[in-house]
């Protein structure tokens, strides 16, 4: 009860008059629900919700949120129900607890999908009540602090997820202390050697560096007092992950990083901030390009400060941040600093503006069905590096680093993006793939005749632009397919002196669509246009007998064997030409999928082919196919496949032994490339004709048995 008593004593300090009795009831409910449960550390499970509640008090969250923190795991880990929670604590607390309940009990096909689906639920919950996210962050922070008690593999997965999802979320909500701790804890788990090494190096240089920083602070304090600026000046050591990232991203050694400690100047007013900046620049020479004014142009997470880097009194770069006390509170606590003020505000305030990214992300996730695609978009949207550009009227738009005029156009409005034909950056016409820089003034040139291009997807950076382009292309592709399907039907109907317009507009068309398994007539025509449905199937449904004994089956294109010769069965579709993708060269025995290409029939890919994985736009063109193992051809066709043979020590006769191993399993070599390095190691690439996956595996096993062969791999593509 000692920890609970601390909570009860702390909450009234920032929320006078709060109902503290509900906390005691929640404590007893949580204790009763988790009785007998233990954490991986061996502690009673109740210690975890108590720590989460303590963190929420540190965030200065309202008593309702702290109560939900005490109860946040009862729905997932105990027999308690949401109805019970509503009855005991009311609907608001029950909704908060339900919002943070993990989806661990549900079965998903992969860890990545599980992560994306969990994050989806969290986002939707955040849209209703941001306190859900505060509880989730407190939960993750305590779990990261106790990560050492978990198995290594599980701990690494949680740490990576924290680095990918939760630390960036804390950053976007302006919670700098939480972000820094999550990143450092993740680094300690993912790269323990690097973490310990940094600890030692930083400790070794700390005394020397602190003496230098204290010298700078002494000079600055004296000068600011002389000009009448009241301030508090302190050194701020950088957290380990930020040092590690700078070393990794910039390829710098530890000894080349001078800004291990920054100087922070906190003043009473914005005027004093700019006054202090003038004093600093009069004392020491500023480093060109290292001044940033986040007071006039705040970050999207509400962060405000002046940043400058100067050459200090000992010739080393010194990073200095200048801010007011209010800015400092927001920089450290972020959204938590705003929480208790939110209910008192009316109209649109900074908090609303700072969460625009969240609303856009929720809009995106509603349109995205593929969990992998959504998770990628989340990582892009949460990536902290941003570029700030201006509209001609002076409005600021925050875009991902590397954004282009197309990203800017869609940020202004969807219609502006869809009809973007050109762009002026700082008054000059530039290509649409131009990378925007900080402070650029961007003007979009539009035309009603311009529409999104698939090529735009190659260089846009923002999730919003990518989603809107994909949506437009999908609608346009369907429209074109309907038109093509109608054209193909009309052409075929006229061959038999039938009236295509009457057939397509009559009542029979709706029944024909239903018989063929399509909801509407347009869906049938789109399927014909895509090549998924046969014109003759539709024609025979609408005019039975009219084409009897006269319909000729389409001939296979030159170089394409008939379907039965290819050894592939297509479920529910006739009259399709079949070819095999060169990007992955599927063999009988591989898991396969078909991809409809208009005018070229069906292309067979391996299910793990990257081309298929990237074809998010065209999911409706994918079709189930399988190898025809029931009626194989008398002599199965040979298919080419590339293999790479890694050599540990080249020697006379080795190539002959490898080719002999291939020949011993009836493989036919059609191409060979041999590369040997100076140290007698090498790689040999062979294109071998085989009948199926089983024969390929036999060949690879035979090659591995050859002395001095390190490994054999199948290489996708030819």
């Amino acid at each position: 009860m000692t920890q609970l008593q601390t909570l009860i004593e702390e909450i009234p300090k920032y929320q006078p008059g709060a109902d503290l009795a509900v906390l005691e009831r929640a404590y007893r409910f949580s204790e009763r629900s988790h009785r007998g449960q233990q954490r991986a550390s061996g502690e009673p499970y109740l210690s975890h919700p108590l720590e989460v509640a303590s963190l929420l008090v540190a965030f200065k969250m309202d008593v309702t949120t702290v109560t939900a923190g005490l109860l946040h795991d009862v729905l997932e880990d105990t027999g308690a129900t949401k109805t019970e929670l509503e009855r005991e604590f009311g609907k608001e607390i029950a909704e908060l607890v339900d919002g943070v309940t993990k989806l661990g009990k549900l079965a998903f096909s992969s860890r990545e999908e599980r992560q994306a689906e969990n994050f989806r639920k969290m986002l939707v919950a955040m849209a209703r009540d941001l306190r859900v996210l505060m509880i989730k962050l407190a939960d993750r922070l305590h779990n990261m602090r106790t990560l050492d008690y978990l198995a290594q593999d599980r701990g690494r997965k949680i740490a990576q997820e924290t680095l990918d999802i939760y630390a960036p979320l804390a950053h976007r909500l302006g919670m700098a202390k939480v972000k820094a701790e999550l990143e450092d804890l993740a680094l300690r788990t993912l790269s323990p050697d690097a973490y310990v090494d940094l600890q030692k190096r930083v400790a070794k240089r700390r005394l020397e560096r602190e003496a230098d920083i204290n010298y700078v602070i002494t000079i600055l304090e004296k000068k600011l007092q002389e000009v009448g600026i009241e301030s508090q000046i302190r050194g701020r050591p950088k957290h380990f992950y930020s040092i590690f990232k700078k070393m990794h991203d910039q390829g710098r050694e530890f000894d080349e990083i001078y800004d291990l400690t920054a100087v922070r100047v906190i003043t009473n007013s914005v005027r004093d901030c700019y006054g202090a900046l003038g004093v600093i620049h009069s004392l020491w020479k500023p480093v060109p390009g290292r001044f940033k004014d986040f007071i006039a142009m705040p970050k999207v997470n509400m962060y405000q400060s002046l940043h400058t880097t100067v050459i200090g009194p000992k010739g080393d770069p010194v990073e200095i941040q200048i801010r007011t006390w209010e800015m400092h509170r927001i920089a450290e606590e972020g959204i938590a600093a705003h929480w208790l003020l939110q209910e008192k505000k009316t109209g649109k305030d900074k908090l609303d503006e700072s969460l625009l990214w969240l609303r856009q992300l929720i809009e995106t996730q509603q349109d995205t069905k593929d969990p992998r695609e959504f998770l990628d978009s989340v990582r892009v949207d949460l990536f902290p590096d941003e570029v700030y550009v201006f509209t001609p009227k002076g409005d600021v738009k925050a875009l991902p680093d590397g954004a282009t005029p197309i990203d800017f156009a869609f940020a202004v409005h969807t219609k502006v993006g869809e009809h973007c034909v050109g762009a002026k950056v700082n008054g000059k016409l530039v290509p649409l793939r131009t990378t925007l820089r900080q402070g650029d003034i961007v003007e979009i040139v539009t035309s009603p005749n311009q529409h999104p291009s698939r090529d735009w997807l190659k260089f846009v950076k923002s999730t919003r632009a990518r989603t809107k382009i994909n949506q437009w292309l999908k609608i346009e592709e369907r429209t074109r397919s309907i038109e093509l399907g109608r054209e193909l039907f009309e052409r075929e109907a006229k061959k038999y002196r039938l009236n295509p317009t009457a057939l397509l507009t009559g009542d029979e068309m709706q029944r024909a669509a239903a018989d063929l398994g399509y909801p509407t007539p347009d869906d049938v025509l789109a399927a014909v246009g895509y090549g998924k449905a046969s014109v003759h199937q539709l024609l025979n449904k609408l005019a039975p007998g009219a084409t009897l004994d006269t319909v000729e089956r389409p001939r296979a294109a030159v170089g394409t064997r008939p379907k039965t010769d290819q050894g592939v069965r297509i479920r529910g579709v006739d009259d399709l030409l079949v070819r095999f993708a060169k990007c992955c060269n599927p063999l009988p025995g591989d898991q396969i999928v078909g991809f409809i290409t208009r005018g070229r029939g069906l292309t067979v890919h391996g299910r793990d082919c990257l081309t298929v994985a990237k074809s998010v736009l065209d999911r409706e063109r994918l079709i189930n196919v399988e190898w025809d193992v029931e009626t194989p051809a008398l002599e199965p066709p040979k298919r080419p496949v590339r293999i790479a043979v890694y050599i540990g020590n080249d020697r006379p006769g080795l190539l002959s032994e490898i080719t002999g191993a291939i020949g011993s399993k009836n493989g036919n070599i059609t191409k060979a490339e041999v590369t040997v390095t100076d140290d007698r190691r090498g790689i040999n690439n062979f294109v071998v004709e085989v009948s199926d996956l089983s024969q390929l595996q036999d060949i690879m096993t035979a090659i591995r048995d050859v002395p001095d062969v390190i490994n054999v791999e199948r290489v996708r593509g030819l």
Side-chain angles (χ1 to χ4, degrees):
M1 290 288 285
T2 307
Q3 207 166 355
L4 176 65
Q5 193 59 42
T6 303
L7 301 181
I8 292 172
E9 291 171 1
E10 287 296 319
I11 291 174
K13 293 179 182 178
Y14 62 85
Q15 192 186 4
D19 175 18
L20 300 176
V22 71
L23 268 181
E24 294 190 46
R25 287 194 289 117
Y27 174 85
R28 287 194 293 271
F29 188 96
S30 188
E31 182 184 40
R32 189 167 63 250
S33 299
H34 290 295
R35 189 168 293 154
Q37 294 180 350
Q38 286 187 324
R39 303 200 81 216
S41 62
E43 294 177 290
Y45 195 90
L46 185 64
S47 63
H48 172 61
L50 271 171
E51 287 292 343
V52 169
S54 298
L55 284 168
L56 291 168
V57 169
F59 295 164
K60 294 184 171 57
M61 300 305 295
D62 62 330
V63 70
T64 303
T65 312
V66 178
T67 303
L70 271 174
L71 300 165
H72 78 277
D73 270 340
V74 296
L75 293 184
E76 181 189 5
D77 294 331
T78 77
T81 65
K82 187 178 177 184
T83 305
E84 271 185 89
L85 285 182
E86 279 194 37
R87 186 172 60 247
E88 292 283 336
F89 303 101
K91 187 173 182 180
E92 185 179 15
I93 288 175
E95 288 290 343
L96 289 175
V97 175
D98 185 54
V100 292
T101 299
K102 303 182 190 76
L103 299 182
K105 293 181 181 178
L106 300 180
F108 292 99
S109 60
S110 68
R111 184 193 68 82
E112 190 168 25
E113 185 172 354
R114 184 194 305 270
Q115 187 187 74
E117 292 290 346
N118 270 315
F119 198 57
R120 263 182 218 268
K121 183 176 182 183
M122 190 171 70
L123 286 174
V124 174
M126 285 160 53
R128 293 195 299 269
D129 195 329
L130 277 167
R131 291 175 295 181
V132 168
L133 178 59
M134 306 306 295
I135 299 169
K136 194 73 177 178
L137 282 175
D139 174 51
R140 178 51 60 111
L141 182 54
H142 183 245
N143 282 334
M144 286 298 294
R145 287 175 176 177
T146 55
L147 207 58
D148 292 343
Y149 295 103
L150 296 183
Q152 188 175 14
D153 285 351
R154 190 176 172 211
R156 289 180 64 84
K157 287 177 183 177
I158 292 173
Q160 189 62 55
E161 184 184 68
T162 299
L163 213 51
D164 286 344
I165 300 298
Y166 291 97
L169 263 175
H171 170 77
R172 293 302 293 262
L173 293 176
M175 302 174 73
K177 287 193 293 188
V178 174
K179 168 186 176 282
E181 187 175 354
L182 286 174
E183 288 179 338
D184 280 355
L185 290 170
L187 177 64
R188 190 179 71 180
T189 298
L190 294 171
S191 302
D193 292 342
Y195 182 85
V196 172
D197 184 54
L198 272 179
Q199 269 189 319
K200 292 177 180 176
R201 290 184 177 212
V202 169
K204 189 176 180 181
R205 280 181 53 182
R206 179 168 289 153
L207 291 177
E208 174 193 343
R209 188 61 183 161
E210 282 181 357
D212 293 345
I213 290 298
N214 288 336
Y215 182 49
V216 170
I217 290 173
T218 302
I219 295 172
L220 191 52
E221 279 179 339
K222 183 180 177 183
K223 196 68 176 177
L224 289 177
Q225 285 174 358
E226 288 177 7
V227 298
I229 296 177
E230 289 186 26
S231 64
Q232 184 180 105
I233 308 174
R234 58 181 74 158
R236 179 189 64 87
K238 289 203 168 185
H239 65 290
F240 295 130
Y241 182 76
S242 67
I243 300 170
F244 173 81
K245 199 166 188 306
K246 183 170 283 190
M247 291 170 63
H248 185 268
D249 292 351
Q250 299 177 12
R252 293 163 66 181
E253 294 295 328
F254 179 81
D255 293 334
E256 298 176 301
I257 297 176
Y258 296 99
D259 53 348
L260 296 177
T261 308
V263 174
R264 182 174 290 151
V265 180
I266 306 176
T267 70
N268 294 328
S269 68
V270 172
R271 180 179 178 180
D272 285 348
C273 287
Y274 287 101
L277 178 70
V279 170
I280 291 165
H281 283 181
S282 69
L283 284 171
W284 301 294
K285 188 175 181 179
V287 176
R290 294 297 302 272
F291 170 68
K292 293 176 182 176
D293 187 344
F294 293 119
I295 293 180
M297 198 161 57
K299 292 185 179 182
V300 292
N301 63 3
M302 303 174 282
Y303 177 87
Q304 287 183 288
S305 281
L306 298 176
H307 287 199
T308 187
T309 301
V310 297
I311 302 300
K314 294 196 173 182
D316 290 339
V318 179
E319 182 184 319
I320 302 177
Q321 300 172 354
I322 313 164
R323 61 178 67 151
T324 66
W325 285 104
E326 174 67 11
M327 292 173 191
H328 179 63
R329 191 166 66 92
I330 293 170
E332 293 296 300
E333 300 173 16
I335 197 170
H338 279 267
W339 187 257
L340 293 175
L341 300 175
Q342 187 183 8
E343 294 178 359
K344 300 176 185 177
K345 294 186 179 182
T346 57
K348 187 175 181 182
D349 57 24
K350 285 183 181 178
L351 185 62
D352 294 329
E353 292 172 3
S354 74
L355 298 176
L356 177 63
W357 67 274
L358 179 60
R359 288 195 291 274
Q360 290 180 347
L361 191 54
I362 291 164
E363 178 187 329
T364 298
Q365 69 93 22
Q366 289 169 348
D367 296 325
T368 305
K369 304 302 181 189
D370 188 312
R372 289 180 182 83
E373 181 193 359
F374 173 71
L375 198 58
D376 288 340
S377 75
V378 168
R379 287 172 178 146
V380 170
D381 268 292
L382 300 182
F383 198 69
D385 293 334
E386 289 173 325
V387 59
Y388 295 86
V389 295
F390 296 90
T391 69
K393 293 182 179 179
D395 294 331
V396 180
K397 297 291 180 185
L399 299 171
D401 190 31
T404 66
I406 295 291
D407 297 289
F408 176 86
F410 278 101
V412 172
H413 195 277
T414 300
K415 292 298 180 187
V416 175
E418 288 179 351
H419 298 296
C420 174
V421 71
K424 290 181 180 179
V425 175
N426 303 323
K428 295 181 180 179
L429 277 171
V430 298
L432 292 177
R433 61 173 63 242
T434 300
T435 300
L436 299 177
R437 295 182 296 182
Q438 296 282 8
D440 279 346
I441 300 172
V442 186
E443 181 181 353
I444 299 299
V445 182
T446 61
S447 166
N449 299 321
Q450 174 68 17
H451 299 294
S453 163
R454 194 177 295 275
D455 288 338
W456 290 1
L457 295 171
K458 296 176 182 176
F459 54 81
V460 295
K461 296 293 182 183
S462 66
T463 303
R464 179 178 178 81
R466 186 171 298 277
T467 301
K468 295 299 181 183
I469 293 167
N470 278 335
Q471 286 175 355
W472 191 92
L473 289 173
K474 187 176 288 186
I475 293 169
E476 179 65 13
E477 190 78 0
R478 175 178 164 80
T479 302
R480 284 206 302 263
S481 295
I482 291 172
E483 290 173 358
L484 180 61
R486 189 183 302 277
E487 182 184 327
L488 292 171
F489 180 87
E490 288 175 351
R491 189 185 306 161
E492 199 65 22
K494 287 175 182 176
K495 288 183 183 178
Y496 304 103
R497 295 181 175 81
L498 297 172
N499 183 341
T501 304
L503 291 173
L504 291 176
T505 55
D507 293 338
E508 280 296 317
M509 183 61 180
Q510 187 66 52
R511 284 193 288 273
D515 288 346
L516 292 170
Y518 296 96
T520 68
D522 276 353
D523 289 319
V524 181
L525 293 175
V528 171
Y530 275 123
K532 282 187 175 182
S534 163
V535 178
H536 296 101
Q537 286 178 314
L538 179 58
L539 200 54
N540 286 329
K541 289 285 183 186
L542 293 173
T547 63
L548 197 60
D549 299 326
T550 60
V551 178
E552 292 182 6
R553 295 180 65 81
R555 295 181 181 178
V558 176
T560 307
R561 298 189 185 101
K563 179 183 61 174
T564 52
D565 287 350
Q566 294 286 25
V568 174
R569 287 191 304 184
I570 309 164
R571 298 177 188 172
V573 181
D574 297 326
D575 302 336
L576 278 183
L577 309 178
V578 177
R579 55 197 290 272
F580 290 88
K582 292 183 178 179
C583 53
C584 56
N585 294 322
L587 296 174
D590 284 328
Q591 294 291 314
I592 55 174
V593 66
F595 191 82
I596 301 290
T597 307
R598 190 165 55 244
R600 294 165 67 188
L602 178 126
T603 305
V604 179
H605 291 264
R607 280 196 178 272
D608 58 352
C609 177
L610 289 176
T611 303
V612 174
K614 292 176 181 177
S615 301
V616 179
L617 253 183
D618 301 315
R619 287 290 180 200
E620 55 193 74
R621 290 195 179 201
L622 295 179
I623 190 169
N624 287 326
V625 297
E626 59 188 25
W627 298 106
D628 189 357
V629 295
E630 294 177 9
T631 56
L634 291 176
E635 186 178 345
K638 299 284 187 179
R639 306 189 194 285
V641 62
R642 179 183 288 269
I643 56 175
V645 181
Y646 296 88
I647 306 301
N649 176 41
D650 188 47
R651 55 178 172 77
L654 179 58
L655 180 59
S656 175
E657 290 177 35
I658 294 171
T659 57
I662 295 171
S664 70
K665 301 300 179 183
N666 298 317
N668 180 41
I669 301 171
T670 60
K671 188 177 181 180
E673 297 171 357
V674 179
T675 304
V676 179
T677 60
D678 292 338
D679 59 357
R680 310 307 298 167
R681 299 170 72 88
I683 179 171
N684 297 349
N685 284 290
F686 298 95
V687 176
V688 182
E689 289 184 334
V690 296
S691 300
D692 53 28
L693 183 61
S694 176
Q695 185 185 1
L696 174 63
Q697 290 169 341
D698 288 345
I699 289 173
M700 292 171 69
T701 300
I703 296 173
R704 287 192 185 99
D705 290 339
V706 174
D708 296 314
V709 170
I710 298 175
N711 193 21
V712 186
E713 289 181 355
R714 178 180 176 182
V715 181
R716 299 292 185 178
L718 295 174

